[in-house]
Amino acid sequence: MSDEDLWRVLRGIADMPYGAGQIAALEQLLRRVDAADDRHLAFVTRMQATTGYIYGGEPAKSFVTFSWCLSEFDSDPQPYHQGHLHNLLWHFKYMINGLLNFPEVPLDRTYAVLDDMERRYRAGGHSLQAVHKHRFRVADHVGDVEAAAHWYRLWQTTPRDALSDCAGCDPTSQVGYLADTGRDVEAVELAEPVLAGRLNCNEQPQSILTALLLPYLRTGRVEEARDAHREAYRRQRGNLANLWDIADHVEFCTLTGNEARAIELVERHLDWLDRPPSPAAAMHFSAVAAAALRQAGPSAVYRRAAEGRPAAEVSAASLANELAETAAGLAARFDARNGTSHQSEWIASRLAVQASGEHVPLSASVRRRPARPVGDETAGAPGTPASSADRARRVRTGRAEPQVVTVPGDAGPDDLLDLAEQSWGRHDRGTFRAALVAFDDRFGSAELPARTSAHRLALRASERGDEDDIEGAITLNRAALELYREAGEEVAAQTVAGRLGVLLTRSDEDTEEGLLLTREAADVLDRLGDAQQRAAGHDRVALALLHRERWADALAALDRVPADAGGDRHLTARIALHRGHLLEQLDRVDEARAAVDEARRIGRELGVGEVVTGACLAYARLVDDPADAVAACDEALEAAPADAELPVRVARARALLAAGQAADAVDDFVEAVTLCVERGAEGDAFLRWELANAYRIVGRLAEAAEVAEEAVLGLDRLGAQAEADRCRHLLAGVYAGLGEIDPALALLEQLAGNLDGPDNLPHRAQVLEEAGGILYDADRDAAAGERFAAAAEAYRLGDLPLDELRARRRETYAWFWADDRDAALRTVGVMDALAAKLAGQAEPPVLYELALAAEAGARVLTGEDRPDEALDRLTGVPDRLRSIEAFGEAAQVEALIGELLLRLDRPAEAEPLLRRVLGGLPAASRQVRQTAWLLARVLDLLDRPTEAAALRAEHDLDEDD
């Protein structure tokens, strides 16, 4: 590789985002540069590496590159050194900051570098403002309050110059000092004009916004604090170098009562501690993470794999202890180096942070401050009786005032159990539980007949089933069945057997036993039971078959149910609802809609919210008009008991999205995520994914990014890679919409890597093509050409020639604008071979791509000053485009033909063509000015200057344009 090639590589690396990728590229280049023995290039590459290491999260390596450059500058001055003197002096500031952050570096070494910095600044006639600032930083670090105040005053009173930190970074450090010394109002006032101005530094405005978090909060500027957190964290979250500031955001979340968000941030960045930018950043993050984890209660945290440590869920409490020990140990090392106790005292205060004051909502996905689950309240092995107090704690009170239930004081044990049984069938959970609590309190320790004990066991099984403890419900039903059979209670035994069978069909292991039990029970109840019992028996058969997705057989079972279900209207409503579900699965939509409408009607008449809710949700799935679905969900929301609100919110949000009401859907998705978090359910990651999409649709891209990031973390944690990758794809688009090009590209690169299997070639190609499009739009044309080429190759391997042709066309343009004409011409050759294979196909997409490929080749040839060949390629292209109604593209090609005729000195042919194009273009289009300019040049060549001048005046064109 020639020196010229190496310089070109260095320029390309300078355009890369800071981080591990740029550092790897720099280190590879350094090896080649040293082998080439070009001292100038070696010096400039190491200067670039120093900056790359600082902002890429590996500052320790910058000590080596800076020292090399300084030694080279001092020992053998060269003319090119002077062009880099400013940056070399600037790098002294990086060194001071970096040396402080490594406890193994003696403090005397930092002072020596500071003295050398001052000597060089004086020798160059520069202001000492930056020197005073960094002496302040050292004093502040070691806890020398008087020295810090002294150097702060000198820093503020010394004139700024070109070596002073920028107009955002200097005030950021001032804000931090003012906040630390209790001068929050001054800090906010100082920052206001800075934020109102224009900040071009790559550390701003995120750094000053982070410094303002606590001043804003402590001065009552809650909205500003929230907005500062969201904006700054979004900008900082992707760069390892920002670990210190990330810690400030974690602490802010803890202080403001956003424990769940604090833990999410800790989980997201926890693995950065395996490769921290510095011991100081690791110390700070470890301390604030430990404080956040101590607020989490008895929960678990996901920790990604690292060398020698597998990915695992770890106890928040044990992790908090580990991180607190890490922070304290690092603080002790700093104090030993500094000869003070300042860092240990500061870390102790960080470890003691907890929520204070009023909750400040920060999350874009969780509406309230959720109460974290306090542990498993259904303690005990499956089938173990729960105390009445345990059951009372598990009663859901709903959103309205809890129902006051009075149980007759003189009711006997069988009366109470009968009351509970009847209440269960009427969906009256309040009376059901009250009756059972009364039974346990009054008769729980009494000797009771086998029939009564069996009845209590069966009802306890119903309780467990209602709590989704299926294993416990099965165990209790088996025990009840055995007691009923011992007591000779055949009808009751078959009722329990049917219920047991339904539960067994919900697992894969005991399906056949479950189906057999429900069928045998239904047959016995047909002989011995009354009409209601017979109806319930066949309904249970249908439910068992439904669980096994045997829709037609289940519907046939319901057809055996007596017409009025023995007069039990509650059972009639349930059967109608079950029928509706089965008909829906069989795609008998009209019948299904009629069945669930009947269930909804009966549920309304009976006032059974559970039935109304289920029927409304089914109806919402069955209607074509999204507005009708929304209306049904509205009714479901009004009727839903508290434990059914979550599925209703989700259904309503989806219906609102389908109805084009994404802004309203956002509110329901947020509520659904909040409910999920409050209940400790894992589905919140999937819901956050949907919420992120809703935010994207309404244009709230910052919130979309925040929530999608949370969703990716949660989906990864669940091992749902396909869904996580789809969410990453969404997130990449959001980043691109925010103008955050590098994070978008990083996600697309990760996706391309994940989609490396042969079955994923089309998706891999799509992702690579999208990455190319982002790079092309950002004028990073050479990188875009590489991505388009990779996409085209993936399309080729996937046998998708039309998609390959499109990718090659886009690759051609990328190389063309990257001024790599050889690559552009090579790609045109590949494109021509593809076009030849597709020629003769008349489908509009093929005609379209063939036409645009011809145009791309013509433009490359035009740039190569081969207008005759370019013009030949375009023969008939406009007509083919118009045949598929691609009128705008046809006009664009005709304008190019006009330009080529002009280049070939054929203005008479160009004039009518360009006039036709100009007359057909929308007045506001950019192409109007381009075409008018070409036409004016044609008129000049035809010696018609008056017409040319009039045309230029009409379109505000300068003759020299």
Side-chain angles (χ1 to χ4, degrees):
M1 185 176 282
S2 68
D3 285 359
E4 182 180 343
D5 291 332
L6 293 173
W7 279 104
R8 185 168 57 249
V9 170
L10 178 59
R11 288 191 293 271
I13 290 173
D15 289 336
M16 293 176 67
Y18 293 121
Q22 189 197 51
I23 287 173
L26 279 165
E27 291 177 345
Q28 182 182 46
L29 178 61
L30 269 173
R31 289 190 290 271
R32 291 178 175 176
V33 166
D34 288 343
D37 198 27
D38 183 330
R39 293 177 62 192
H40 183 189
L41 182 56
F43 183 87
V44 176
T45 302
R46 283 178 169 82
M47 289 289 291
Q48 177 66 47
T50 297
T51 304
Y53 286 138
I54 293 294
Y55 288 108
E58 299 186 41
K61 293 181 178 180
S62 72
F63 303 157
V64 177
T65 53
F66 171 78
S67 298
W68 188 97
C69 290
L70 192 64
S71 174
E72 180 80 1
F73 182 90
D74 289 341
S75 63
D76 188 12
Q78 297 293 323
Y80 57 79
H81 285 155
Q82 292 305 310
H84 302 282
L85 176 58
H86 175 86
N87 284 344
L88 188 63
L89 294 174
W90 189 279
H91 287 179
F92 269 94
K93 298 187 290 184
Y94 296 159
M95 295 305 106
I96 303 303
N97 294 333
L99 293 169
L100 282 179
N101 291 332
F102 289 83
E104 59 269 33
V105 178
L107 204 57
D108 287 346
R109 176 62 182 151
T110 303
Y111 285 127
V113 175
L114 253 174
D115 292 341
D116 189 23
M117 176 183 176
E118 180 172 345
R119 179 182 63 79
R120 292 173 189 265
Y121 276 42
R122 286 185 184 276
H126 302 292
S127 169
L128 296 184
Q129 193 256 11
V131 177
H132 297 330
K133 173 179 179 177
H134 286 78
R135 291 198 185 279
F136 155 77
R137 292 182 72 90
V138 176
D140 188 56
H141 170 79
V142 301
D144 189 336
V145 176
E146 291 184 6
H150 167 72
W151 291 115
Y152 181 83
R153 283 193 299 272
L154 281 178
W155 165 29
Q156 297 308 305
T157 56
T158 302
R160 291 172 50 82
D161 72 352
L163 287 171
S164 298
D165 283 346
C166 78
C169 291
D170 244 11
T172 297
S173 302
Q174 293 172 248
V175 166
Y177 179 68
L178 293 172
D180 289 344
T181 53
R183 296 148 69 182
D184 292 322
V185 174
E186 289 181 60
V188 172
E189 290 174 349
L190 172 70
E192 285 176 350
V194 177
L195 291 171
R198 185 171 182 177
L199 300 173
N200 296 319
C201 171
N202 61 21
E203 296 181 52
Q204 301 299 343
Q206 58 270 29
S207 291
I208 195 166
L209 288 173
T210 302
L212 284 166
L213 290 174
L214 297 186
Y216 275 150
L217 188 65
R218 293 191 294 239
T219 56
R221 293 168 170 84
V222 173
E223 293 293 322
E224 290 94 331
R226 181 181 63 194
D227 292 345
H229 163 67
R230 285 182 171 177
E231 171 72 8
Y233 175 72
R234 184 174 60 78
R235 290 172 177 267
Q236 293 168 329
R237 68 197 180 284
N239 191 339
L240 177 65
N242 295 327
L243 182 60
W244 182 286
D245 284 353
I246 297 296
D248 287 339
H249 289 283
V250 173
E251 183 173 79
F252 178 72
C253 292
T254 302
L255 278 168
T256 54
N258 289 274
E259 294 92 344
R261 180 166 174 78
I263 297 304
E264 285 174 0
L265 267 58
V266 169
E267 284 184 324
R268 188 178 301 172
H269 300 285
L270 186 59
D271 63 327
W272 287 13
L273 288 178
D274 298 318
R275 55 188 195 285
S278 68
M283 174 183 71
H284 184 28
F285 184 86
S286 295
V288 300
L293 289 163
R294 287 170 175 172
Q295 310 301 311
S299 60
V301 175
Y302 180 67
R303 194 176 199 177
R304 293 187 179 92
E307 187 175 350
R309 186 191 69 224
E313 298 272 351
V314 296
S315 158
S318 64
L319 182 58
N321 291 337
E322 175 189 331
L323 295 179
E325 184 177 341
T326 296
L330 286 168
R333 289 177 59 197
F334 277 108
D335 285 343
R337 191 267 307 267
N338 299 339
T340 69
S341 60
H342 177 67
Q343 292 296 319
S344 292
E345 292 166 2
W346 186 75
I347 285 300
S349 67
R350 303 278 68 73
L351 288 167
V353 165
Q354 55 185 303
S356 60
E358 186 177 348
H359 171 61
V360 178
L362 296 179
S363 175
S365 59
V366 179
R367 173 164 288 152
R368 298 178 294 279
R369 181 180 182 181
R372 284 190 166 264
V374 183
D376 185 5
E377 293 177 352
T378 59
T384 304
S387 71
S388 58
D390 290 336
R391 286 194 307 278
R393 263 200 314 272
R394 293 199 297 265
V395 174
R396 296 187 183 274
T397 60
R399 288 164 289 169
E401 287 296 317
Q403 176 187 0
V404 178
V405 178
T406 302
V407 176
D410 58 350
D414 289 324
D415 296 328
L416 289 172
L417 295 179
D418 288 342
L419 175 61
E421 185 80 52
Q422 293 161 10
S423 301
W424 180 264
R426 294 194 304 267
H427 301 268
D428 181 359
R429 296 296 190 266
T431 303
F432 170 77
R433 291 190 171 97
L436 293 182
V437 168
F439 176 92
D440 288 349
D441 289 345
R442 298 176 194 177
F443 307 107
S445 58
E447 285 290 329
L448 298 169
R451 177 189 180 283
T452 304
S453 297
H455 198 180
R456 179 63 187 99
L457 285 171
L459 292 171
R460 185 172 287 131
S462 297
E463 284 185 285
R464 289 297 180 92
D466 202 32
E467 295 160 358
D468 278 335
D469 178 6
I470 304 305
E471 184 181 349
I474 288 172
T475 301
L476 289 166
N477 269 322
R478 288 193 189 280
L481 178 59
E482 184 177 346
L483 282 176
Y484 270 134
R485 284 174 173 165
E486 288 176 6
E489 296 285 343
E490 187 63 19
V491 170
Q494 294 306 323
T495 296
V496 171
R499 292 173 181 170
L500 173 60
V502 170
L503 291 168
L504 291 171
T505 57
R506 293 176 65 174
S507 70
D508 291 328
E509 293 79 10
D510 302 309
T511 298
E512 292 306 318
E513 179 190 0
L515 289 172
L516 181 64
L517 280 172
T518 56
R519 284 175 168 147
E520 288 179 349
D523 289 342
V524 172
L525 291 173
D526 268 347
R527 297 195 314 271
L528 304 178
D530 58 27
Q532 190 275 344
Q533 291 165 333
R534 294 198 302 274
H538 291 298
D539 183 47
R540 285 190 284 270
V541 173
L543 280 176
L545 292 164
L546 183 151
H547 289 157
R548 306 318 303 165
E549 299 185 3
R550 292 169 56 177
W551 319 121
D553 292 341
L555 192 61
L558 286 184
D559 289 339
R560 299 180 61 186
V561 171
D564 64 348
D568 186 340
R569 300 192 71 223
H570 292 84
L571 179 57
T572 300
R574 291 196 294 275
I575 290 171
L577 188 54
H578 297 158
R579 186 183 299 278
H581 289 323
L582 292 168
L583 289 166
E584 179 185 358
Q585 294 297 331
L586 292 167
D587 205 23
R588 292 160 60 176
V589 176
D590 291 339
E591 296 170 83
R593 193 183 301 120
V596 298
D597 214 24
E598 179 189 4
R600 180 161 64 161
R601 176 182 57 79
I602 298 173
R604 286 173 185 153
E605 293 171 359
L606 297 173
V608 180
E610 188 178 341
V611 171
V612 173
T613 300
C616 286
L617 291 181
Y619 189 84
R621 294 193 302 271
L622 291 163
V623 293
D624 296 324
D625 187 344
D628 291 341
V630 172
C633 289
D634 287 342
E635 182 179 351
L637 193 59
E638 288 293 322
D643 57 357
E645 184 182 355
L646 175 56
V648 177
R649 288 286 184 183
V650 174
R652 187 172 185 269
R654 291 170 179 167
L656 286 164
L657 267 185
Q661 298 173 246
D664 294 326
V666 163
D667 289 338
D668 276 309
F669 275 130
V670 169
E671 186 63 29
V673 171
T674 304
L675 290 168
C676 237
V677 172
E678 286 177 339
R679 297 172 186 183
E682 289 187 332
D684 70 292
F686 295 92
L687 292 176
R688 288 176 204 253
W689 176 18
E690 294 189 72
L691 172 58
N693 186 49
Y695 274 130
R696 179 191 64 82
I697 291 170
V698 298
R700 296 167 62 178
L701 297 185
E703 288 104 323
E706 176 186 328
V707 177
E709 288 163 0
E710 296 168 356
V712 167
L713 183 68
L715 293 167
D716 279 342
R717 181 175 181 171
L718 294 172
Q721 181 177 332
E723 292 81 0
D725 283 347
R726 289 171 64 194
C727 191
R728 284 188 179 92
H729 194 207
L730 168 73
L731 182 55
V734 172
Y735 283 158
L738 286 166
E740 298 179 9
I741 303 305
D742 294 318
L745 291 171
L747 276 179
L748 292 174
E749 290 293 328
Q750 182 181 359
L751 278 174
N754 290 350
L755 298 168
D756 59 351
D759 294 340
N760 292 322
L761 281 170
H763 302 296
R764 174 180 169 81
Q766 179 189 351
V767 165
L768 289 167
E769 188 176 359
E770 287 181 28
I774 291 172
L775 287 163
Y776 186 80
D777 291 340
D779 292 331
R780 290 155 67 173
D781 298 310
E786 293 173 356
R787 298 303 190 286
F788 287 137
E793 177 62 13
Y795 283 132
R796 185 189 69 78
L797 293 172
D799 195 24
L800 297 166
L802 188 60
D803 295 297
E804 182 187 355
L805 179 61
R806 182 188 63 250
R808 292 296 182 192
R809 167 172 58 82
R810 301 181 77 183
E811 180 191 354
T812 299
Y813 280 121
W815 295 129
F816 180 77
W817 291 114
D819 203 25
D820 190 339
R821 301 303 169 86
D822 290 341
L825 284 169
R826 283 196 303 271
T827 310
V828 169
V830 176
M831 196 166 52
D832 287 347
L834 273 170
K837 293 179 182 178
L838 292 167
Q841 299 183 31
E843 293 85 355
V846 178
L847 292 177
Y848 183 82
E849 284 301 334
L850 288 172
L852 294 193
E855 180 194 5
R859 291 193 183 277
V860 171
L861 291 170
T862 301
E864 291 295 297
D865 200 21
R866 294 157 62 180
D868 286 306
E869 295 174 65
L871 188 60
D872 288 343
R873 298 179 70 93
L874 298 178
T875 302
V877 169
D879 290 337
R880 290 196 291 275
L881 285 168
R882 277 191 287 271
S883 74
I884 57 174
E885 299 185 355
F887 299 113
E889 290 85 344
Q892 182 174 289
V893 172
E894 286 187 316
L896 176 57
I897 292 172
E899 178 185 346
L900 290 167
L901 291 170
L902 183 62
R903 286 171 178 255
L904 291 166
D905 198 21
R906 293 158 61 180
E909 296 172 66
E911 182 192 356
L913 176 65
L914 291 173
R915 284 194 183 279
R916 186 171 68 248
V917 172
L918 187 60
L921 289 172
S925 71
R926 189 179 70 172
Q927 197 176 342
V928 166
R929 285 177 56 82
Q930 297 169 337
T931 308
W933 185 89
L934 288 170
L935 181 55
R937 290 291 299 133
V938 165
L939 293 170
D940 286 336
L941 292 175
L942 293 172
D943 199 21
R944 289 150 63 182
T946 304
E947 293 177 63
L951 188 62
R952 289 189 176 101
E954 179 185 351
H955 294 282
D956 194 26
L957 297 172
D958 191 295
E959 188 172 356
D960 296 327
D961 283 348

